[in-house]
């Protein structure tokens, strides 16, 4: 049985993407080449690694075992490469960073831009996920760093305070709710809403709490960015729930008013999470320090 690093990385990409086609794209190879490599791995082991159907693929028990060991091997290789590169031309590595909607839109672009400028040999794979999915991915070793709402189950992870990130209700300045200074989601749930597309971490968060309150929100339109939601709300199409920072930033240009959202779940903090800072490759520690500057001391 002889698997190279390309085989292992391909298999992880296929498992995480859910299809061989998407896994091949992530691995920068053709579908035919990817399929042949996976078939060769299965033949070498004498056992199926994937269950294939019309919707995609799922790992078999043998496949999950292989994925676990593949992550360990690849992480160790990345760690070795990063530490050795520190003695040469500078750090080199690839960081997988998962974050929720608010972190993606409001905080990370500028912070990460400065980091990438400072470290030209480090690359980042940034992906938006639900907070609980991010925590699960970190525990499973499928990501290096996560940015999540503190409402998620963070058991087994090392956490660091990142930003306060309360949510706010936004309405057009001429809307009937504009006379209010605050409201709960249940109080305004019968109004038309403007929201983000399905699958957005923030939208799933709001929808979840609406259901818990026994409410079903009605959306006039779903958009791909928080800024677009603010502009559409400003046109009187509906009301919305966005991060307070975004509401303040877009208030004048979008013509919206910000109302305090009184629900306890709307008062939240963003946390940076890792599985174990001591086990991180050097270049991931570099990014963690940068994300937390100046809050993080020399503990890393």
């Amino acid at each position: 049985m002889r698997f190279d690093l390309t085989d292992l990385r391909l298999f992880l990409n296929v498992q995480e993407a859910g299809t061989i086609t998407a896994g091949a794209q992530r691995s920068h190879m053709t579908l035919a080449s990817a399929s042949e490599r996976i078939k060769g791995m299965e033949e070498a082991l004498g056992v199926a690694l994937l269950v294939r159907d019309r919707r995609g693929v799922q790992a078999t028990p043998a496949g999950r075992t292989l994925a676990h060991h593949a992550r360990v091997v690849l992480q160790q290789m990345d760690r070795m490469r990063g530490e050795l590169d520190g003695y040469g031309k500078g750090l080199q590595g690839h960081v997988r960073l998962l974050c929720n909607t608010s972190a993606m839109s409001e905080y990370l672009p500028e912070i990460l831009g400065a980091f990438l400028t400072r470290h030209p040999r480090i690359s980042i794979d940034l992906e938006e996920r639900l907070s609980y999915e991010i925590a699960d991915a970190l525990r499973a070793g499928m990501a290096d760093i996560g940015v999540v709402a503190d409402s998620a189950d963070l058991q087994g992870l090392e956490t660091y305070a990142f930003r306060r990130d309360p949510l706010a209700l936004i309405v057009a300045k001429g809307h009937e709710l504009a006379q209010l200074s605050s409201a709960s989601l249940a109080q305004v749930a019968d109004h038309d809403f403007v929201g983000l597309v399905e699958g957005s971490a923030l939208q799933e968060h709001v929808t979840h709490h609406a259901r818990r309150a026994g409410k079903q929100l009605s959306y006039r339109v779903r958009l791909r960015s928080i800024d677009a939601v603010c502009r559409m709300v400003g046109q009187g199409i509906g009301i919305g729930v966005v991060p307070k920072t975004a509401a303040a930033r877009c208030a004048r240009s979008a013509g919206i008013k910000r109302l305090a959202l009184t629900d306890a779940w709307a008062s939240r903090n963003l946390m940076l999470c890792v599985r174990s800072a001591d086990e991180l490759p050097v270049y991931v520690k570099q990014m963690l320090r940068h994300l937390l500057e100046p809050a993080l001391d020399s503990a890393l």
Side-chain angles (χ1 to χ4, degrees), residues 159-175:
T159 61
Y160 307 87
F162 181 54
R163 296 287 190 278
R164 289 195 66 252
D165 188 48
L167 298 177
L169 183 70
I170 56 171
V171 301
K173 289 184 176 180
H175 195 278

Side-chain angles (χ1 to χ4, degrees), residues 78-94 115 118-123 281-287 289:
D78 284 345
R79 188 175 299 115
M80 179 187 71
R81 187 181 299 113
E83 292 178 357
L84 291 176
D85 282 345
Y87 295 100
K89 299 179 180 179
L91 297 176
Q92 179 179 12
H94 181 82
F115 177 82
R118 188 185 301 178
H119 301 281
R121 303 185 71 212
I122 298 177
S123 60
V282 172
Y283 55 87
V284 180
K285 288 184 179 181
Q286 287 278 68
M287 177 175 289
R289 287 194 186 96

Side-chain angles (χ1 to χ4, degrees), residues 37-148:
R37 278 183 174 268
I38 291 175
K39 181 180 178 182
M41 295 169 71
E42 291 178 321
E43 290 177 349
L45 289 171
V47 65
L49 297 172
L50 298 171
V51 176
R52 300 159 175 82
D53 58 35
R54 290 181 298 176
R55 294 173 296 178
V57 297
Q58 289 186 337
T60 64
R64 290 192 293 271
T65 299
L66 175 63
H68 168 74
H69 289 286
R71 289 190 191 98
V72 172
V73 170
L74 292 172
Q75 287 169 358
Q76 187 61 40
M77 290 297 296
D78 284 345
R79 188 175 299 115
M80 179 187 71
R81 187 181 299 113
E83 292 178 357
L84 291 176
D85 282 345
Y87 295 100
K89 299 179 180 179
L91 297 176
Q92 179 179 12
H94 181 82
V95 183
R96 186 170 186 193
L97 173 59
L98 304 181
C99 67
N100 67 2
T101 307
S102 184
M104 177 77 85
S105 68
E106 298 303 311
Y107 304 111
L108 291 180
E110 183 175 353
I111 296 173
L112 294 181
F115 177 82
L116 291 170
T117 299
R118 188 185 301 178
H119 301 281
R121 303 185 71 212
I122 298 177
S123 60
I124 302 171
D125 183 5
L126 179 62
E127 184 178 346
E128 180 187 332
R129 295 272 194 92
L130 297 172
S131 288
Y132 77 88
E133 292 178 340
I134 295 171
D136 287 345
L138 287 168
R139 282 188 284 261
M142 297 169 64
D144 298 307
I145 302 175
V147 185
V148 304

